[in-house]
Amino acid sequence: MAFEFELIKECKDTKARVGRFHTPHGIIETPVFMPVGTQATVKTLSPEELKSIGAQIILSNTYHLYLRPGHDLVKEAGGLHKFMNWDRPILTDSGGFQVFSLGDLRTVQEDGVEFRSHHDGSKHFFSPEKVMEIENALGADIIMAFDECAPYPCSFEYAKKAMERTTRWARRCKEAHKREDQALFGIIQGNVYRELREQSAKEITALDLPGYAIGGLSVGEPKELMYEVLDYTTPLMPKEKPRYLMGVGAPDNLVEGIMRGVDMFDCVLPTRIARNGTVFTKRGKLVIRNAVYARDFRPLDSECSCYTCRNYTRAYIRHLIKANEILGLRLTTIHNLYFLINLVKEIREAILEDRFLEFREEFYEHYRDD
């Protein structure tokens, strides 16, 4: 099946844009925030709940699913969609970020990466060809090429070697990729060095893939530096293909990324902080565990219409979190994902109505990233 990206509208004042990406499991309206379901589940939520909050597409993790339960088992089950009962689009990352974050447990070679499982210490090897075998077996609509994610900070020399290896591996991924019903995305690397980002963008986009991602950001660099990298990187990416900023999901990051021409985002942040008792609101983060909310009978966010805010109070949710009740984690997770999905939906509408800059200004009148 051919993957088609329709560019519906471009903002007249910024690089923000609205599009539609056609996949075998449905159309993705962009810009889009994608919840992360690392191990074939978004923690604490059912597929039905994800649909109810507007999730169009979710992510799963190649590294984790390879180790447990194994890609062969998922293939035997009929692929990831059937295995997890999700009939909308899925994206699988390559596992590159997880492998490279293992530190002393992995060794990088030209052929690939040898690593030890964080579960039992067993030895494994990921090559571009092996990653394509795993992702083809999992059967997601969008699959990511195997890349080397350089840490921040790192030297120019280190970043250059990682970027050049990423290009070579992307070529091998394209050669090894076997399924026409899966869109292979290439990943632009180069750390925070403009020269390297420009070289990477030129080489990766030359592969003529269905979409492209910007990797290696939100790994510890100041957000102003991330925005600077986006300012000069997104213009180098084809307008007629979707642009994906990997691992970014704070509300202000979404607003700024979209303004710079990004179409797709994912991040574990909303679900992770939800499980720690922190939620997003129009005025910034709210730590619901704090004692000040013990007798606060307002919703988490009075301007939010999610299931949690329509039915439960801060006091009750704080009680659940303090008592380690699973419902508390579910309610905060529902709220955080709804908040980001709805934020992006509002941005999409603002772009269509030629009022994106006004929306951004109103957003910052209230939102504080403390």
Side-chain angles (χ1 to χ4, degrees):
M1 171 182 173
F3 288 80
E4 181 189 359
F5 181 70
E6 297 178 75
L7 188 55
I8 306 299
K9 175 100 174 184
E10 293 181 276
C11 175
K12 63 182 186 300
D13 303 307
T14 71
K15 299 187 185 76
R17 58 201 214 146
V18 168
R20 291 193 190 104
F21 190 47
H22 296 254
T23 80
H25 287 88
I27 297 172
I28 303 165
E29 303 279 353
T30 65
V32 62
F33 176 78
M34 307 178 285
V36 177
T38 301
Q39 305 195 75
T41 178
V42 175
K43 285 182 171 56
T44 77
L45 301 189
S46 70
E48 292 73 24
E49 287 167 323
L50 287 166
K51 289 180 181 179
S52 75
I53 62 177
Q56 301 184 67
I57 172 176
I58 59 177
L59 269 71
S60 284
N61 183 273
T62 296
Y63 166 82
H64 288 284
L65 292 176
Y66 161 77
L67 291 177
R68 187 174 62 189
H71 58 292
D72 291 336
L73 186 149
V74 174
K75 183 178 181 180
E76 185 181 338
L80 202 50
H81 290 90
K82 287 188 177 179
F83 188 56
M84 65 187 295
N85 190 34
W86 178 258
D87 59 5
R88 294 183 180 181
I90 298 175
L91 184 153
T92 46
D93 61 17
S94 68
F97 180 81
Q98 285 70 31
V99 168
F100 288 102
S101 64
L102 290 171
D104 294 339
L105 295 176
R106 52 85 174 153
T107 305
V108 183
Q109 308 164 21
E110 182 56 34
D111 280 349
V113 184
E114 184 180 89
F115 64 94
R116 290 187 177 274
S117 165
H118 69 286
H119 293 305
D120 58 14
S122 56
K123 276 189 177 182
H124 303 270
F125 187 79
F126 268 12
S127 65
E129 292 77 15
K130 181 64 176 180
V131 167
M132 288 298 97
E133 174 197 327
I134 298 167
E135 293 198 86
N136 285 167
L138 294 175
D141 301 84
I142 302 169
I143 65 175
M144 305 306 299
F146 193 44
D147 63 321
E148 181 173 356
C149 182
Y152 177 86
C154 75
S155 67
F156 179 89
E157 291 72 23
Y158 185 113
K160 188 171 190 291
K161 287 180 180 178
M163 180 273 295
E164 291 173 341
R165 186 176 284 122
T166 291
T167 297
R168 293 192 294 272
W169 285 358
R171 291 174 182 143
R172 289 167 58 185
C173 283
K174 182 180 180 181
E175 182 69 24
H177 176 41
K178 301 301 182 186
R179 292 181 56 168
E180 292 184 1
D181 61 343
Q182 292 181 292
L184 174 64
F185 279 27
I187 304 175
I188 296 167
Q189 289 288 356
N191 209 267
V192 296
Y193 300 102
R194 181 166 186 167
E195 175 186 335
L196 299 183
R197 287 284 175 181
E198 290 174 345
Q199 181 183 341
S200 181
K202 181 179 180 181
E203 293 173 350
I204 295 296
T205 59
L207 295 174
D208 192 25
L209 299 171
Y212 301 99
I214 301 168
L217 291 178
S218 194
V219 291
E221 80 282 358
K223 59 185 177 182
E224 292 76 19
L225 189 51
M226 176 175 71
Y227 299 154
E228 181 185 324
V229 173
L230 291 177
D231 279 331
Y232 58 70
T233 302
T234 53
L236 304 174
M237 304 167 77
K239 290 179 68 172
E240 71 278 7
K241 306 267 180 92
R243 302 164 176 164
Y244 167 29
L245 177 56
M246 305 181 75
V248 172
D252 53 335
N253 292 168
L254 297 183
V255 173
E256 297 302 309
I258 291 169
M259 186 173 76
R260 289 162 172 82
V262 174
D263 304 305
M264 304 167 65
F265 304 82
D266 83 284
C267 197
V268 298
L269 178 68
T271 49
R272 179 173 290 166
I273 67 171
R275 297 193 301 276
N276 291 325
T278 300
V279 294
F280 296 124
T281 76
K282 286 285 180 72
R283 300 186 180 279
K285 290 178 187 173
L286 184 152
V287 183
I288 199 64
R289 303 179 66 99
N290 290 350
V292 67
Y293 302 115
R295 286 178 168 80
D296 190 335
F297 302 111
R298 295 174 294 170
L300 294 175
D301 187 342
S302 60
E303 300 177 62
C304 179
S305 58
C306 76
Y307 169 80
T308 302
C309 289
R310 292 197 317 269
N311 293 283
Y312 300 98
T313 66
R314 295 176 178 185
Y316 179 63
I317 295 169
R318 178 182 184 272
H319 156 68
L320 294 176
I321 297 290
K322 297 294 284 185
N324 293 318
E325 287 289 346
I326 293 172
L327 179 58
L329 312 183
R330 284 170 40 73
L331 293 177
T332 51
T333 300
I334 286 170
H335 170 79
N336 277 354
L337 288 179
Y338 178 92
F339 184 90
L340 293 186
I341 289 169
N342 192 61
L343 172 64
V344 173
K345 181 182 177 183
E346 290 177 346
I347 294 174
R348 196 158 58 235
E349 291 169 354
I351 297 168
L352 288 171
E353 295 169 7
D354 292 318
R355 53 178 182 85
F356 172 70
L357 284 181
E358 291 92 328
F359 177 94
R360 178 175 178 267
E361 185 177 341
E362 290 172 9
F363 173 83
Y364 282 116
E365 281 179 8
H366 304 290
Y367 187 81
R368 295 289 179 271
D369 184 28
D370 298 324

